Amino acid sequence: MNWLIFTIIATVLAGISPLFTSRNVQILGPIMTMFVNTVFWAVVLSFWLVFNWHQTSLVNKQSLFFTGASQILSIIATFLLFHAFQLATGKLSIIILTTSLAVVVTAVSNSFLGNKLEPHQWLGVVITLMGITLVNLDRTTIQKFFSHLNF
């Protein structure tokens, strides 16, 4: 299969996932939602390891370090996102705002992994983030902003 198809499918699924997560946070709260998600993935991965135990020999100190660092950052980001879902009860804009994740991940990973973005690509990242921000602003916020600029 072409990498673009996987990317499109991943993007669609990542866009749908917050709809369910937001609802679950309203029911359980951010901490309990994180706990349930963690237990769910622990069970799924445990079943996977039972059938793929031979791949555990690939784990070493370096992979454990990177996994640990990734998971710590992921836990913090997930908690902040779930807390935002809890605070934004009934607001679709928080879902739309989370779509900027892909743009940020692209910019950060390309910068730190040695694949430097060209100036026109950085411009695309900035324009996309500005567009996402504008979509999320309500009329009163825009009016306040422009009133300070004397428009």
Side-chain angles (χ1 to χ4, degrees):
M1 232 186 201
N2 188 330
W3 64 269
L4 185 58
I5 293 172
F6 285 114
T7 304
I8 292 170
I9 293 170
T11 302
V12 169
L13 293 177
I16 294 170
S17 176
L19 295 171
F20 295 104
T21 302
S22 176
R23 181 69 179 126
N24 207 26
V25 167
Q26 297 307 316
I27 296 168
L28 299 175
I31 298 293
M32 195 57 157
T33 300
M34 287 178 62
F35 175 75
V36 170
N37 286 356
T38 302
V39 169
F40 174 81
W41 282 112
V43 169
V44 169
L45 291 175
S46 295
F47 278 110
W48 181 82
L49 281 174
V50 166
F51 297 104
N52 295 291
W53 61 270
H54 60 280
Q55 292 187 6
T56 57
S57 64
L58 300 174
V59 177
N60 58 29
K61 288 181 183 178
Q62 188 178 20
S63 69
L64 286 176
F65 169 77
F66 288 121
T67 300
S70 170
Q71 291 308 303
I72 289 169
L73 293 174
S74 181
I75 287 169
I76 293 169
T78 302
F79 174 75
L80 293 174
L81 178 63
F82 288 1
H83 190 62
F85 283 153
Q86 187 178 33
L87 295 175
T89 304
K91 294 183 181 177
L92 181 61
S93 63
I94 190 72
I95 305 289
I96 296 169
L97 188 58
T98 61
T99 60
S100 65
L101 175 66
V103 175
V104 174
V105 168
T106 299
V108 171
S109 66
N110 283 327
S111 296
F112 289 106
L113 297 176
N115 300 327
K116 300 296 180 190
L117 292 177
E118 299 291 327
H120 70 279
Q121 292 169 316
W122 277 111
L123 180 62
V125 168
V126 169
I127 289 171
T128 302
L129 288 174
M130 288 173 51
I132 291 168
T133 302
L134 288 173
V135 165
N136 284 286
L137 292 178
D138 59 357
R139 181 174 293 207
T140 56
T141 305
I142 294 171
Q143 288 172 344
K144 288 179 186 175
F145 174 76
F146 283 113
S147 69
H148 293 301
L149 297 177
N150 297 321
F151 276 112

